[in-house]
């Protein structure tokens, strides 16, 4: 069906190793062998650790392929790509995270990034320190009035990203500082708005926050 365009794209970037018709032909054999699981229109390599290893091997010295895939895939495919990359530790993937935040990359500034909020949330779990530094730096560059313009869906995406960073030891402090800047320009009245989450962060018996009490006192 329509998702077969993803196979065509993947084969096009691995021209010397993969041919579209050959992939379709071998899928039934791989499924019978238990190496591939087919659900509806999608095929998935099993087990996940083997799939991660195959992806890592395929990307070796082929960093540019990730950019081609990110641009060529539709939203659902991009999400699957990012989920896969979160589980791969390699030089190529590290470079990819760096390029996402480059001056000419898709995450070049906060306003453009929030249009890809669903992607940034996934990247935050793979490269949390990079995302924390990016978000904090951009918020500091905005005035209180400019922060008030972050509203609606974009604001919710930003809050979800910060909650992803809040409960990680290395990014917790940065996330609290970001929450303070957003709370200062509050536009929501729900219980889990920036103000509410910021205040909860100072509960001394918070069961999830890894930030020590003395660091919270400093904040």
């Amino acid at each position: 069906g329509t998702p077969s365009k993803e196979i065509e794209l993947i084969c096009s970037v691995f021209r010397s190793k993969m041919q579209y018709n050959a992939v379709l032909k071998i899928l039934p054999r791989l499924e019978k062998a238990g190496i591939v699981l087919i659900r509806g229109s999608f095929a998935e390599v099993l087990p996940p650790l083997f799939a991660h290893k195959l992806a890592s091997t395929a990307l070796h010295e082929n960093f540019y392929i990730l950019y081609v895939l990110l641009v060529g895939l539709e939203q659902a495919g991009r999400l699957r790509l990012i989920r896969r990359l979160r589980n791969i530790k390699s030089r190529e993937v590290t470079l990819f995270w760096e390029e996402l935040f480059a001056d000419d990359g898709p995450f070049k500034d906060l306003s453009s990034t929030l249009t890809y909020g669903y992607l940034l949330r996934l990247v935050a779990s793979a490269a949390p320190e990079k995302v924390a530094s990016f978000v904090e730096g951009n918020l500091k560059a905005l005035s209180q009035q400019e922060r008030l313009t972050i509203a609606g869906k974009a604001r919710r995406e930003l809050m979800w990203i910060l909650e992803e960073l809040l409960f990680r030891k290395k990014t917790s402090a940065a996330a609290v500082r970001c929450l303070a800047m957003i709370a200062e320009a509050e536009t929501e009245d729900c219980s889990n708005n920036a103000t509410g989450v910021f205040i909860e962060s100072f509960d001394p018996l918070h069961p999830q926050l890894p930030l020590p009490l003395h660091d919270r006192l400093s904040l």
Side-chain angles (χ1 to χ4, degrees):
T2 304
S4 65
K5 292 178 181 177
E6 294 184 5
I7 302 180
E8 294 177 22
L9 176 62
I10 293 168
C11 288
S12 72
V13 298
F14 292 106
R15 288 189 190 92
S16 61
K17 299 178 181 179
M18 298 168 66
Q19 300 297 322
Y20 177 72
N21 289 332
V23 170
L24 292 182
K25 185 177 179 180
I26 202 172
L27 275 177
R29 289 175 56 196
L30 294 175
E31 182 182 28
K32 189 175 180 180
I35 298 172
V36 164
L37 174 66
I38 296 179
R39 293 193 186 101
S41 300
F42 293 91
E44 180 181 359
V45 175
L46 297 174
L49 282 174
F50 181 44
H52 301 334
K53 180 62 177 177
L54 286 177
S56 179
T57 302
L59 294 171
H60 184 62
E61 300 297 337
N62 287 315
F63 155 71
Y64 74 94
I65 286 173
L66 291 173
Y67 237 49
V68 175
L69 292 176
L70 187 72
V71 172
L73 290 169
E74 295 182 354
Q75 177 174 324
R78 289 174 179 171
L79 287 171
R80 288 193 296 276
L81 174 66
I82 297 296
R83 286 195 185 102
R84 176 71 69 203
L85 296 180
R86 285 191 305 174
N87 295 290
I88 298 175
K89 305 298 180 186
S90 70
R91 175 178 172 274
E92 289 75 19
V93 173
T94 300
L95 283 173
F96 178 65
W97 301 140
E98 294 289 336
E99 286 296 315
L100 285 180
F101 296 95
D103 291 341
D104 57 349
F107 296 169
K108 57 187 176 183
D109 57 58
L110 191 60
S111 59
S112 63
T113 300
L114 290 177
T115 63
Y116 300 96
Y118 61 98
L119 282 178
L120 188 61
R121 227 185 307 163
L122 292 175
V123 175
S125 66
E129 291 173 81
K130 185 71 179 175
V131 173
S133 174
F134 169 78
V135 173
E136 185 176 10
N138 274 264
L139 286 175
K140 282 181 177 178
L142 299 176
S143 66
Q144 182 179 357
Q145 197 62 38
E146 288 171 322
R147 278 180 259 132
L148 281 167
T149 63
I150 304 174
K153 185 179 179 181
R155 193 178 185 91
R156 280 289 92 200
E157 288 288 356
L158 182 55
M159 283 300 300
W160 286 326
I161 291 163
L162 290 176
E163 287 180 351
E164 174 72 42
L165 301 172
L166 186 62
F167 305 122
R168 294 173 178 271
K169 190 173 183 179
K170 292 183 178 179
T171 57
S172 187
V176 174
R177 290 193 295 269
C178 289
L179 283 169
M181 287 186 277
I182 303 173
E184 186 184 29
E186 188 62 81
T187 61
E188 297 182 313
D189 57 7
C190 53
S191 61
N192 66 335
N193 60 10
T195 305
V197 178
F198 177 74
I199 290 171
E200 286 177 1
S201 299
F202 293 92
D203 181 345
L205 301 179
H206 197 299
Q208 291 175 289
L209 201 75
L211 202 61
L213 287 176
H214 64 271
D215 287 343
R216 281 187 262 178
L217 183 60
S218 297
L219 286 169

